[in-house]
């Protein structure tokens, strides 16, 4: 990340204002290139604020459109991926249960299979011998952020070259990413694996990595570029749409949590807020809790 993100709405608004001049054609042209953690890329790095709803997708998209009109389409489309993933998982909570069950199975294997345990620890510590992968593993741990294209390459190498259970990689991301989100993360890993769109997986290619890292890496000959997509026996179908209580009235206590810090968007007309409480349960997000930033 550019600088350690300050977890306030004001800091998010400052980051948005600084990024807005680049939210049009410059974003569309440069968003796939990862110039490395030391150099400024074309992406916004707004994800920690969006993830906790200190900024909302709607206001960020509106600001980009106001600044660039149609030229902001690519940026707005990307912001929309978050909205899509959240809604998709909300309607299919069983897919998250499936991930958690897979994670428990993978943890059991770690306890009993020494080779797998060693390979897993080497991957997390950046000791696989695949230069780009090792560098990204260290970057996530040190900076709690990774460029989108690097996340795709990383997840693909984890699954198809290192042959590690994808659930352990998703958990590694949730443990370290400041924007770690159960919908965007679980479903992006499933998408790379070929489980979200059955039969269609994302294979990292050495040529693509060399091109979009500006030649910083060239893992030619090190990647499995012919692996088959993962498959699964069952996929839970959509659940009934969630039912929402009507907005409260009278005296209320506000309970804030890390999924939604956008108090401004709550319908509090007719309410008198008597107290505000906050709860944070980062340990529920990842195996063993989240790592200190
Ligand atoms: C394996 C994998 C795991 C991921 N895990 C997460 C996660 O835990 N949390 C998370 O917020 N994003 C996740 N992403 C999506 C994406 O990589 C990040 O949102 C993005 O890199 C954040 O950087 P940015 O703010 O500079 O993005 P920008 O390119 O500037 O995009 C602006 C905003 O749009 C949203 N966005 C952009 N691309 C995506 C996308 N593909 N999916 C969902 N939202 C997107 C984010 O809120 C982002 O902040 C994951 C992607 C992959 C491939």
């Amino acid at each position: 990340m550019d600088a350690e993100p300050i977890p306030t709405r004001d800091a998010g608004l400052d980051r948005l204002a600084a990024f807005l001049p680049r939210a049009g054609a410059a974003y569309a042209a440069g968003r796939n290139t990862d110039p490395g953690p030391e150099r400024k890329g074309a992406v916004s790095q707004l994800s920690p604020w969006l993830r906790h709803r200190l900024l909302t997708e709607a206001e960020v998209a509106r600001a980009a459109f106001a600044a660039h009109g149609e030229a902001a389409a690519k940026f707005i489309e990307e912001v929309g991926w978050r909205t899509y993933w959240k809604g998709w998982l909300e309607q299919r909570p069983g897919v998250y249960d499936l991930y958690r069950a897979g994670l428990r199975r993978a943890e059991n294997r770690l306890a009993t299979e020494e080779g797998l345990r060693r390979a897993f620890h080497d991957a997390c510590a950046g000791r696989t011998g695949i230069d780009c992968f090792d560098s990204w593993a260290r970057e996530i741990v040190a900076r709690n952020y990774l460029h989108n294209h690097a996340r795709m390459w990383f997840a693909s190498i984890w699954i198809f070259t290192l042959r590690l259970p994808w659930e352990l990689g998703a958990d590694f991301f949730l443990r370290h990413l400041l924007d770690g989100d159960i919908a965007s993360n679980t479903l992006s890993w499933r998408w790379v694996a070929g489980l979200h769109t059955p039969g269609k997986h994302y294979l990292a290619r050495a040529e693509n990595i060399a091109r979009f890292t500006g030649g910083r890496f060239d893992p030619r000959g090190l990647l499995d570029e012919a692996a088959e997509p993962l498959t699964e026996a069952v996929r839970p179908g959509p659940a009934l749409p969630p039912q929402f209580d009507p907005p409260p009235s009278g005296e209320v206590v506000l309970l804030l949590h890390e999924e939604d810090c956008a108090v401004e968007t709550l319908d509090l007309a007719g309410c008198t807020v008597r107290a505000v409480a906050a709860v944070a349960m980062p340990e529920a997000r990842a195996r063993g809790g989240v790592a200190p930033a």
Side-chain angles (χ1 to χ4, degrees):
M1 296 229 94
D2 281 353
E4 182 72 20
I6 299 166
T8 64
R9 178 166 163 79
D10 281 350
L13 288 169
D14 286 349
R15 176 68 62 97
L16 175 60
F19 168 70
L20 269 184
R22 296 181 283 121
Y27 177 84
R31 60 174 281 274
N32 275 328
T33 297
D34 177 8
E38 307 300 341
R39 298 184 52 205
K40 199 165 189 61
V43 294
S44 71
Q45 301 197 353
L46 281 167
S47 52
W49 291 279
L50 284 163
R51 185 259 177 261
H52 295 285
R53 280 178 55 83
L54 282 161
L55 298 177
T56 66
E57 290 105 302
E59 70 180 326
V60 166
R62 261 196 302 272
F65 187 74
H68 298 279
E70 294 290 323
K74 192 70 212 166
F75 178 71
I76 294 171
E77 206 175 281
E78 293 303 312
V79 172
W81 272 103
R82 178 185 140 85
T83 318
Y84 168 70
W85 290 135
K86 297 297 277 186
W88 197 94
L89 193 64
E90 187 176 37
Q91 291 173 36
R92 295 166 188 81
V95 171
Y96 183 66
D97 297 339
L98 211 58
Y99 156 65
R100 295 292 292 189
L103 182 59
R104 273 193 301 276
R105 274 196 305 278
E107 285 168 2
N108 289 341
R109 286 185 59 201
L110 282 184
T112 54
E113 296 177 31
E114 200 194 324
L116 178 68
R117 192 162 60 240
R118 201 174 324 115
F120 168 69
H121 287 305
D122 283 348
C124 295
R127 284 191 311 252
T128 66
I130 304 172
D131 199 20
C132 54
F133 183 94
D134 290 347
S135 173
W136 296 321
R138 288 193 292 267
E139 189 178 333
I140 296 176
V141 173
R143 296 180 179 254
N144 312 109
Y145 175 82
L146 201 61
H147 188 282
N148 178 60
H149 217 164
R151 293 185 200 203
M152 291 162 63
W153 295 319
F154 184 96
S156 181
I157 296 170
W158 180 287
I159 297 168
F160 298 116
T161 294
L162 301 175
R163 296 274 161 196
L164 291 166
W166 71 267
E167 295 92 341
L168 290 175
D171 184 75
F172 176 64
F173 269 25
L174 284 181
R175 182 162 162 69
H176 291 287
L177 289 174
L178 275 180
D179 62 32
D181 174 86
I182 63 168
S184 291
N185 190 59
T186 310
L187 298 177
S188 296
W189 275 84
R190 283 177 57 87
W191 176 82
V192 170
L195 298 172
H196 183 73
T197 319
K200 196 167 177 296
H201 55 335
Y202 177 79
L203 273 181
R205 299 193 189 280
E207 182 276 329
N208 182 265
I209 293 174
R211 179 145 52 100
F212 287 104
T213 57
R216 285 184 301 125
F217 302 112
D218 188 359
R220 231 170 309 181
L222 297 178
L223 310 184
D224 186 340
E225 301 195 13
E228 293 293 320
L230 302 192
T231 55
E232 62 190 350
V234 282
R235 176 160 103 175
L240 290 173
Q243 302 293 316
F244 299 107
D245 295 332
S249 58
E251 297 194 339
V252 298
V253 174
L254 269 187
L255 179 64
L256 300 181
H257 52 81
E258 63 164 352
E259 296 301 310
D260 188 356
C261 299
V263 188
E264 300 81 359
T265 65
L266 295 175
D267 181 1
L268 293 174
C271 294
T272 308
V273 177
R274 284 290 176 216
V276 179
V279 59
M281 294 200 328
E283 69 278 7
R285 218 189 299 165
R287 194 173 71 102
V290 290

